Amino acid sequence: MEIRLFLLQEPPSMASDRWADAKNLLCVRLDALGDVLLTSPALRALKESTPGRRITLLTSRAGAAAAELIPDVDRVLQYDAPWMKATAPGADASREFELIEQLRNGRFEGAAIFTVYSQNPLPAALVCYLAGIPRRLAHCRENPYQLLTDWVAETEPHDVIRHEVRRQLDLAGAIGCYASDERLALSLPAEADAKAVAALRHCGADLSAPWLLMHPGATASSRRYPPEQYARAAELLFERHGFQTIFTGVAAERELIETIRRSMGVPSYSVAGRLSLAELAAIVQRAPLLIANNTGPVHVAAAVGTPVVVLYALTNPQHAPWGVPQRVLSFDVPCKYCYKSICPEGHHACLRSISPESVVQAAVELHEESLAGRCAAATGALIAGERF
């Protein structure tokens, strides 16, 4: 079998010719919610490049909720891979054999395996190889031999570090697939918005007055801004600028959120643990602004067009908001880009050194810019309407 290092040896047009008749594609992204959303433009590129192409996404339990809302995904398969960090140890390999048989029965004509550069694509490539999928595409650091038919040499992080969205778009581009629109996107059911409105009304906030969302949780402790600093920022936003804070989070983050709220000297509200992902996305879409750690809801905000202030831990540089008005706040430290879920130094300085006052300033400035932009757009639309 011929192995092609095509970014070095052949142009994408030749790879495109080999993939053009592959209408039943498997895409593999076994990470969490945010990672799946950041892959959505690449999925669009694959979908749009061949008329009638269907995309099945194999993803984790955590990623499946997001995958169900991505408009270019036709089918979602859920699988928690034993080679992924977040997966609990399993008793045996029976699930892997079941998956191989399931993929074989799917009669996929090609598989695109999406990873961050620190992950090894070869376990997923082996599964696809054993399932008889004839075309297999991935970034890979070492020679994959027969496991990949289309091998894109891994150049990160030594030669370049790309935004995660760009990395995955480049993988699709290596086989001649490009997106007409590189933004993130979610398709929300109508009932999600109705439930979001009900949740907002139920929490007690006055939505006729200024308000914003704050999401203080994150799966990795190294990416969490200190609760007491979130509390102070929320206090200042209310006292100086009249913004009510509505907190969002999963059920497991309720205690964190209530700790923040108890330490505040001003009113606040919470919808934590009450929402599905679609309902959360609908609330984020309605919000004038989101303040959050570097975590999944930031990418939800990007997908629905909501401006976002990100308290960005310098664990890695690739996951900033994509294609949305933003402020990214961090503090430069010698230990940056550690790629750790727990701060190895124990000081959390890249986040702790961000003052609540700077969070407030960023939020107010971004909100005012967004209002001005919406007013300008509305005025432009009105003038265009009068002309025609």
Side-chain angles (χ1 to χ4, degrees):
M1 180 179 294
E2 180 187 358
I3 303 298
R4 308 176 182 94
L5 181 59
F6 52 73
L7 283 189
L8 299 181
Q9 297 178 353
E10 69 177 9
S13 59
M14 294 178 63
S16 177
D17 290 343
R18 292 193 309 276
W19 285 74
D21 62 345
K23 293 195 173 183
N24 185 19
L25 287 193
L26 177 72
C27 294
V28 181
R29 185 76 209 235
L30 296 169
D31 301 271
L33 180 157
D35 303 290
V36 170
L37 288 176
L38 292 172
T39 310
S40 59
L43 301 178
R44 183 180 309 121
L46 292 170
K47 182 74 172 283
E48 291 179 342
S49 298
T50 294
R53 178 171 279 170
R54 288 181 54 81
I55 300 292
T56 296
L57 182 61
L58 177 66
T59 189
S60 66
R61 185 180 317 169
E68 296 284 359
L69 302 176
I70 295 174
D72 295 294
V73 173
D74 299 291
R75 183 187 179 200
V76 177
L77 299 178
Q78 184 178 300
Y79 170 62
D80 289 326
W83 58 88
M84 299 300 291
K85 178 175 65 175
T87 305
D92 55 51
S94 60
R95 178 66 185 101
E96 281 62 60
F97 289 110
E98 292 172 3
L99 175 66
I100 290 168
E101 189 61 25
Q102 184 179 20
L103 297 184
R104 185 181 299 278
N105 292 337
R107 301 183 182 279
F108 295 105
E109 298 163 297
I113 301 165
F114 296 99
T115 59
V116 298
Y117 71 69
S118 60
Q119 294 170 343
N120 191 329
L122 295 183
L126 177 60
V127 167
C128 294
Y129 171 80
L130 293 175
I133 301 175
R135 304 169 181 88
R136 299 173 300 278
L137 164 72
H139 289 104
C140 193
R141 201 170 305 281
E142 54 273 322
N143 192 328
Y145 295 100
Q146 285 78 21
L147 292 185
L148 293 177
T149 59
D150 293 271
W151 168 26
V152 180
E154 182 61 82
T155 59
E156 297 187 70
H158 303 298
D159 296 334
V160 65
I161 296 179
R162 294 165 286 185
H163 192 285
E164 183 66 11
V165 173
R166 179 55 55 199
R167 171 182 170 83
Q168 310 311 343
L169 282 167
D170 287 349
L171 184 68
I175 56 169
C177 297
Y178 304 97
S180 59
D181 185 342
E182 295 185 348
R183 290 174 296 180
L184 309 188
L186 287 175
S187 179
L188 303 181
E191 60 269 21
D193 187 64
K195 291 179 179 178
V197 170
L200 287 170
R201 289 174 176 164
H202 184 264
C203 79
D206 178 6
L207 300 182
S208 65
W211 64 282
L212 53 77
L213 292 181
M214 193 173 279
H215 189 94
T219 53
S221 62
S222 60
R223 291 189 280 112
R224 296 182 202 138
Y225 190 59
E228 64 276 14
Q229 290 175 250
Y230 261 121
R232 183 56 180 156
E235 282 183 331
L236 293 174
L237 281 163
F238 183 81
E239 292 170 351
R240 297 180 182 176
H241 305 282
F243 281 102
Q244 304 164 95
T245 296
I246 301 176
F247 288 94
T248 62
V250 298
E253 293 165 341
R254 280 176 173 167
E255 183 177 349
L256 166 66
I257 289 168
E258 291 309 308
T259 298
I260 295 171
R261 295 181 68 201
R262 284 193 297 269
S263 66
M264 293 169 56
V266 299
S268 65
Y269 310 90
S270 174
V271 292
R274 302 178 189 172
L275 307 170
S276 68
L277 178 60
E279 292 157 11
L280 171 64
I283 281 184
V284 172
Q285 188 173 45
R286 284 183 167 270
L289 185 73
L290 170 69
I291 301 173
N293 303 316
N294 174 28
T295 190
V298 166
H299 308 305
V300 171
V304 298
T306 297
V308 59
V309 174
V310 186
L311 304 166
Y312 198 96
L314 293 178
T315 54
N316 70 72
Q318 303 109 301
H319 297 119
W322 179 265
V324 71
Q326 62 189 263
R327 291 289 190 279
V328 178
L329 305 182
S330 60
F331 187 83
D332 197 14
V333 289
C335 53
K336 65 183 176 183
Y337 308 153
C338 65
Y339 295 91
K340 301 295 185 182
S341 297
I342 298 173
C343 177
E345 302 296 328
H347 52 50
H348 297 267
C350 61
L351 283 178
R352 189 172 290 279
S353 302
I354 304 169
S355 70
E357 289 79 6
S358 64
V359 176
V360 172
Q361 180 180 352
V364 171
E365 288 178 355
L366 183 58
H367 182 256
E368 290 175 351
E369 288 177 13
S370 299
L371 280 179
R374 287 197 293 271
C375 289
T379 301
L382 180 61
I383 292 172
E386 290 175 348
R387 286 175 180 167
F388 295 99

